[in-house]
Amino acid sequence: MENFEEKLLQDKKRYLDFFRENKARIDNVFVYGAGRMAKPLALFLKENHISINAFCVSDSTLNRKEEYGIPIVQIDKLCVNKERTVFVLGVNPRLNAEIINILGGYGYGNLIPSTEYIRYYGKYHYDFYRNPMLEITTKVGCAINCKFCPQDSFLKNYFQTGNEESIMSFETFQTCIDKTPENILIEFAGFTEPFLNEACLEMLEYANKSGRKINLFTTLVGMKKEMLSAVTDIEYGEFVLHVPDVEEYAKIPVTEEYLGLLDLVVKAKKPSGEPLVDYACSQGEVPGLIKEHLGDDIRIFVSLLDRAGNLEDECLYRKRGIKGRICCDVSETINHNVLLPDGRVVICAQDYGMQHVLGNLLVESYDEIVNGDIAQNIISRMSCPDDTGILCRNCSLAREI
C-alpha cells in the first residue's frame, strides 16, 4: 500500500477513534461547511453510523436547504448544549484557524480540525484530486471578459507568430482527447466560456461517448435552448453555473432569453435524476433577480483568486513568494492542465500568462507532456526551497509540505 493510502486511512481513523472514545459525552454533531470538502466527510461519518445533526455555515442564504437529507443551518441559529456539541470542520485546512475563531466566539470549543486528506473521502473527490484532468479552452478571447480573468495577459502571450488557431476545431479536440488516458477528467472551463465555440456540444458528446468523465463550467452565453436536451443527456461529475454579479465584473447579458434558458437549466435533471446544476459561482454580489431564478436549492460560491499573480487587485485572495517545499493543493503531480485551441498545454488554469507551456498535444503524446522535461523541472523546483521563479510560488493553491 502506497504511503498516501496509509495516510488517508490514518486520517479516517482519527474520526472513528474520537467518536468511539467520546460517545458518552456527545449529544450533537455538526459538520462545519457544506461544500466540496464537507459533503464527502459527512457521507463518511454517516456510513460509519455517526449521526449528524446538520451542516453548519455562517450564512445559510448562500446554500441549499439540505444535502443528502441533512439540513443546512446557520451558526447563530443553533440552540444546543455547547458542552455536549462537537463540530467537525469540513473546510480547506487553511481556514481552520478562522473557523475555530468563529466557533469560539459563539462559545463552542469541542471540534475536530480538517486536514488536506478530507478532500479525498468521496469517490468523485478522490478521482478529481488523484486522477489527471485536462481543462478545455475552446476559444481564445472571451466575450464575458470577467474582471478576475486576465484575458489581456492571455491574448498577449498566446499570439506570438500570428499563425495560432483562435478557435479549437472539433478535429483538434478529437485528436487530443484520443491521446489522453481513460481515467482523465475532461473539464470544459479553461480560459473562456466553452459555448462561445459552436462545436462545444459536439466536443461534449464526443468526450462522453469516449468514456471520459466530464465537468462543465458555463455562463450559458452561447448555449441555445435547443441544445439543452443534448446537454442534459451527458453524464457530468459537476455542472457549474457562473452567474451575473451586481458589480458587473462578468459581462453576462441578463436578457429575457438568458433568464428563460437559466430557468430551464435550473429545472433540468441529470440522467441519474439528480439536479443538473451542482452549484453556482459568482464574482461579486448576485442580483436579487438571479437569486429568484436560481431558487433555494443551488448553492452560490464567491471565491476570487489573483490567478497566481496574474492580477494585482488587492481584494483578491493571494500568496506571494512561498518558500520551502511546496505542492499543488489540486494536483500533487501537476497533471491538472489546460489545453489551448492550437494544441498547446499549459500547466494549469492559473497560468494565463503562459509561463509554463508543457508541450503540444497535437504533435506529442500525453505522457511526453505530463512527464516530460518541462513538467519534471517544475516538480523539481517545487521541492527546492531557494527557487523563486515558478508560477506556483505565487499561487494561492500552493501548499507547503
Side-chain angles (χ1 to χ4, degrees), residues 196-354:
L196 290 177
N197 184 325
E198 293 182 357
C200 179
L201 178 57
E202 187 179 10
M203 294 176 185
L204 282 164
E205 291 176 326
Y206 183 81
N208 188 50
K209 289 177 182 176
S210 72
R212 299 328 194 258
K213 294 181 174 66
I214 300 170
N215 284 349
L216 173 62
F217 288 70
T218 179
T219 63
L220 302 183
V221 176
M223 186 190 291
K224 307 298 182 185
K225 287 184 179 180
E226 54 267 27
M227 296 181 183
L228 190 58
S229 177
V231 168
T232 56
D233 282 343
I234 294 166
E235 294 187 19
Y236 301 97
E238 287 187 333
F239 187 109
V240 182
L241 286 177
H242 285 245
V243 296
D245 53 271
V246 171
E247 297 85 352
E248 297 186 346
Y249 293 144
K251 309 301 187 292
I252 302 173
V254 182
T255 63
E256 288 300 318
E257 181 181 7
Y258 168 81
L259 293 174
L261 179 58
L262 178 62
D263 288 340
L264 292 174
V265 169
V266 168
K267 294 175 184 176
K269 304 291 184 182
K270 293 178 180 176
S272 65
E274 294 292 317
L276 176 65
V277 179
D278 290 281
Y279 59 91
C281 294
S282 177
Q283 300 192 17
E285 181 183 351
V286 179
L289 176 63
I290 300 301
K291 287 183 179 179
E292 290 177 14
H293 284 264
L294 289 176
D296 295 329
D297 293 327
I298 295 179
R299 189 180 185 198
I300 304 170
F301 289 90
V302 179
S303 179
L304 305 176
L305 311 178
D306 74 339
R307 302 294 189 182
N310 280 298
L311 291 168
E312 293 298 331
D313 194 315
E314 294 292 333
C315 297
L316 304 177
Y317 185 76
R318 56 190 286 169
K319 290 182 181 179
R320 289 289 187 275
I322 306 169
K323 306 294 184 182
R325 296 180 64 233
I326 61 172
C327 69
C328 178
D329 216 18
V330 176
S331 169
E332 293 185 8
T333 54
I334 64 167
N335 62 356
H336 283 203
N337 314 121
V338 180
L339 176 67
L340 304 181
D342 63 357
R344 279 181 288 177
V345 176
V346 296
I347 183 174
C348 70
Q350 309 305 315
D351 195 7
Y352 278 78
M354 298 181 63

Side-chain angles (χ1 to χ4, degrees), residues 18-157:
F18 176 89
F19 284 104
R20 184 180 65 253
E21 294 166 4
N22 296 280
K23 182 177 181 180
R25 63 183 187 88
I26 297 174
D27 290 335
N28 308 294
V29 179
F30 294 96
V31 174
Y32 197 97
R36 176 171 279 175
M37 292 196 172
K39 291 190 287 186
L41 177 57
L43 285 179
F44 167 74
L45 296 176
K46 282 188 68 177
E47 289 166 0
N48 285 277
H49 312 293
I50 298 169
S51 179
I52 302 168
N53 295 64
F55 292 96
C56 189
V57 295
S58 299
D59 185 355
S60 63
T61 64
L62 299 178
N63 295 270
R64 300 179 181 183
K65 300 302 181 184
E66 62 177 40
E67 292 283 1
Y68 313 128
I70 303 170
I72 298 174
V73 300
Q74 196 163 297
I75 180 67
D76 59 359
K77 305 297 184 184
L78 295 182
C79 185
V80 294
N81 183 328
K82 296 177 181 180
E83 294 297 321
R84 298 185 65 82
T85 296
V86 171
F87 278 87
V88 182
L89 306 195
V91 297
N92 191 304
R94 66 177 169 82
L95 298 177
N96 275 336
E98 177 184 341
I99 302 305
I100 290 171
N101 187 55
I102 291 173
L103 292 174
Y106 286 102
Y108 296 102
N110 300 324
L111 52 90
I112 307 176
S114 65
T115 71
E116 65 269 23
Y117 291 100
I118 66 170
R119 74 185 68 228
Y120 304 107
Y121 278 23
K123 184 182 185 308
Y124 167 77
H125 304 85
Y126 182 97
D127 289 343
F128 177 88
Y129 289 109
R130 296 294 286 176
N131 289 345
M133 181 174 79
L134 190 64
E135 291 196 37
I136 310 301
T137 297
T138 64
K139 181 180 184 293
V140 176
C142 184
I144 311 304
N145 199 27
C146 298
K147 179 179 180 181
F148 302 116
C149 183
Q151 287 292 311
D152 289 346
S153 177
F154 177 45
L155 292 171
K156 174 184 175 182
N157 288 282

